[in-house]
Amino acid sequence: MKTIKIFIWIALIGFSTSCEITDANIDPDNPSAESVNAGAIYPGMIAQTHRNSVALGGRIAGIIIQHFDGLDAQQIAYDQYNIGESDSDDLWDFGLYGAGSMKDAYVIIQNNEGEISALAKLYMAANLGVATSAWGDIPYSDAFVGDQGNLNPTYDTQESVYMEIQSLLTEAIDEGVAAGIGEFAGAGSTDDIDWEGVAHALKARYYLHLTSINGTTAAQNALTEIQQAFSSTTEQPDFVYSTPAQNANPWFLFDNDRPSTLGISQVLVDEMKSQNDPRLPFYTTDEVNFAGVEGLFWGQADSPTPLISYWEVKFIEAEAIVRTGGSDADALDALTEAVTANMEYIGVEGSEISSYVDALSLSGSEDEKIQTIINEKWVALYGNAPLESWVDFRRTGYPELTPSPDAVPNVNPSGIVPRRFLYPISERQANLENYNAAIQAQGGHLLDDDIWAFPNN
């Protein structure tokens, strides 16, 4: 298994080497609109995008979806669904907008074309997927033009954002995303990544997000794209973190900086124990720890974060086959491959993999088959894609989670598993008119208010 795909050092040391993406030699801290060195911006943009999946937003989503338990400090509040407008603002202000990855992608797209900007369009689409699945309506069309005097962007509807995601990915494919990121200072080998296959995989993911809205059509669109997706873990877009500590994997870094405030979910542990799941010792050694201990795959300083994994691709395929009336045998083959790929990736022995996957089956109604697939997907997305697992829960109702018995009613009066994030306090303070309009358009602003893509199941 090869997991080292993208080495992008957050602290870049000079740009004197040649750059295939662009020959312009521009100060990366002050890129001009007229001559942007895409090679100077790509490393930070890619790094932040992958961090967005497993840093603050991923941590809160991981607690919501019961991959993790809050044990102390702010994590207890998240476990109680006391997730306010100041809790996700760093993801919005620094992870996505402001100084975040979407602003960097926008700068590359606006000032370059063809192969140079194609990958930025792919990453913009992935970041939009994070933002809209968490908040619903979000600023996009005029969100990044503060330097032109527009400091109060309007909010695009969630429906239009999902359409834009598909358009960006189509453009990325057509404009040569297969060329990848080229060779620029700060990047290691990315030769094995099938970037065009990644774009098709992301298209499948975001089509499947809309099964509650578009039903079988969403599943058929996803299935069409999945046939063109990458076909192994060696081709998936992994980001491998590095030393020093500030550049480490966010799970490792959080546990190192705030020990004993977060632990693996007892619900997840109990489920894995009941199934004799051989991944459990790779997730925790004492049913609490999740990082910083040798052997815990997702909790090392250099643990990878895929933008989208091969096992997610195969879970999407399995679900789409079921939803479109395909054969149980084909769906089971895809499910088995998904679980196998995840287990092989983290280092489970072959004999243990065989024992587990040989017991997998799909039977009963369509909904029961989907439940089986999503339950397996929930276990496999632990540590690498908690935000996507939260999406799955909101659109399918699986896994069947019991809401926190300690839930408080402050921003979640019904006490259900949260359906969205609140818009950050920065938007209320600096963009009040458009903030209020977005809330009114969506019918409320509480954690138990549905957003368009995920009406309550």
Side-chain angles (χ1 to χ4, degrees):
M1 178 194 70
K2 180 177 181 181
T3 62
I4 300 177
K5 305 291 182 60
I6 305 176
F7 286 105
I8 299 177
W9 311 105
I10 296 172
L12 297 173
I13 304 175
F15 278 81
S16 59
T17 59
S18 65
C19 175
E20 189 173 294
I21 279 184
T22 174
D23 293 328
N25 187 17
I26 306 298
D27 179 358
D29 295 322
N30 296 285
S32 68
E34 293 78 19
S35 184
V36 173
N37 184 342
I41 303 175
Y42 261 113
M45 184 272 286
I46 292 174
Q48 186 60 56
T49 300
H50 288 256
R51 290 183 65 84
N52 287 342
S53 297
V54 292
L56 175 65
R59 188 168 69 253
I60 297 175
I63 291 173
I64 290 172
I65 199 63
Q66 297 178 24
H67 281 165
F68 296 95
D69 287 335
L71 305 178
D72 198 3
Q74 192 64 34
Q75 314 326 304
I76 290 180
Y78 299 157
D79 230 344
Q80 297 170 333
Y81 307 152
N82 191 11
I83 307 165
E85 61 180 1
S86 296
D87 291 306
S88 60
D89 54 349
D90 279 358
L91 172 60
W92 180 288
D93 294 335
F94 303 107
L96 296 165
Y97 296 97
S101 50
M102 288 206 296
K103 178 59 184 292
D104 286 346
Y106 174 82
V107 171
I108 295 171
I109 293 166
Q110 290 299 305
N111 295 283
N112 297 278
E113 58 186 19
E115 293 179 0
I116 296 175
S117 63
L119 191 67
K121 292 184 176 182
L122 181 151
Y123 270 88
M124 176 67 90
N127 280 294
L128 283 172
V130 169
T132 194
S133 66
W135 283 285
D137 295 0
I138 55 170
Y140 175 68
S141 297
D142 57 359
F144 309 107
V145 290
D147 57 347
Q148 300 174 28
N150 184 2
L151 301 177
N152 302 108
T154 57
Y155 286 58
D156 295 54
T157 66
Q158 187 173 40
E159 182 176 11
S160 68
V161 173
Y162 273 106
M163 293 173 63
E164 181 63 20
I165 288 170
Q166 294 296 339
S167 294
L168 284 165
L169 291 168
T170 297
E171 290 171 13
I173 293 166
D174 292 345
E175 293 169 14
V177 74
I181 53 180
E183 298 172 3
F184 56 82
S189 173
T190 61
D191 292 344
D192 290 337
I193 300 176
D194 176 4
W195 286 108
E196 186 169 320
V198 172
H200 285 292
L202 289 171
K203 287 177 77 68
R205 170 197 279 179
Y206 296 118
Y207 277 131
L208 203 69
H209 274 205
L210 301 182
T211 52
S212 295
I213 302 298
N214 295 330
T216 304
T217 299
Q220 184 58 62
N221 288 340
L223 192 57
T224 298
E225 295 297 335
I226 223 69
Q227 307 310 317
Q228 303 171 79
F230 58 93
S231 58
S232 70
T233 54
T234 60
E235 295 177 333
Q236 72 186 32
D238 287 336
F239 182 89
V240 182
Y241 300 89
S242 63
T243 55
Q246 64 266 28
N247 294 347
N249 176 284
W251 298 122
F252 173 89
L253 187 59
F254 184 83
D255 184 64
N256 183 72
D257 292 348
R258 300 179 186 179
S260 302
T261 64
L262 186 70
I264 191 170
S265 165
Q266 193 61 50
V267 172
L268 177 60
V269 168
D270 289 346
E271 173 64 20
M272 296 180 76
K273 289 170 68 175
S274 73
Q275 301 298 321
N276 294 316
D277 194 315
R279 287 167 290 192
L280 186 57
F282 295 87
Y283 286 10
T284 184
T285 60
D286 63 1
E287 300 186 15
V288 176
N289 62 24
F290 64 93
V293 176
E294 186 177 356
L296 299 184
F297 186 86
W298 299 110
Q300 304 303 308
D302 60 351
S303 293
T305 298
L307 185 66
I308 183 170
S309 64
Y310 177 58
W311 51 92
E312 183 182 343
V313 166
K314 299 307 286 187
F315 281 120
I316 290 170
E317 181 179 3
E319 181 183 345
I321 289 171
V322 169
R323 288 186 180 274
T324 56
S327 75
D328 288 350
D330 287 345
L332 182 59
D333 284 347
L335 174 62
T336 299
E337 178 63 15
V339 176
T340 299
N342 177 250
M343 288 187 176
E344 288 180 343
Y345 187 84
I346 68 172
V348 177
E349 291 291 334
S351 59
E352 293 184 298
I353 296 173
S354 296
S355 294
Y356 187 90
V357 300
D358 286 350
L360 292 173
S361 63
L362 288 174
S363 61
S365 66
E366 177 181 304
D367 190 63
E368 288 171 328
K369 295 169 190 174
I370 290 171
Q371 181 178 15
T372 297
I373 292 165
I374 298 300
N375 286 351
E376 289 292 339
K377 188 178 179 184
W378 173 65
V379 176
L381 295 190
Y382 166 84
N384 59 94
L387 286 158
E388 286 306 308
S389 201
W390 186 29
V391 167
D392 288 338
F393 171 77
R394 287 178 289 163
R395 68 181 181 83
T396 70
Y398 300 121
E400 292 183 334
L401 301 176
T402 300
S404 171
D406 300 316
V408 297
N410 299 17
V411 289
N412 186 17
S414 68
I416 64 172
V417 176
R419 308 291 298 172
R420 58 164 299 160
F421 287 161
L422 303 188
Y423 290 123
I425 190 172
S426 56
E427 283 295 288
R428 178 167 61 81
Q429 293 175 334
N431 193 19
L432 182 61
E433 182 178 353
N434 294 315
Y435 163 95
N436 283 333
I439 291 172
Q440 183 177 5
Q442 294 179 100
H445 191 228
L446 295 168
L447 296 181
D448 54 4
D449 286 324
D450 290 331
I451 51 181
W452 172 80
F454 313 126
N456 205 341
N457 291 279

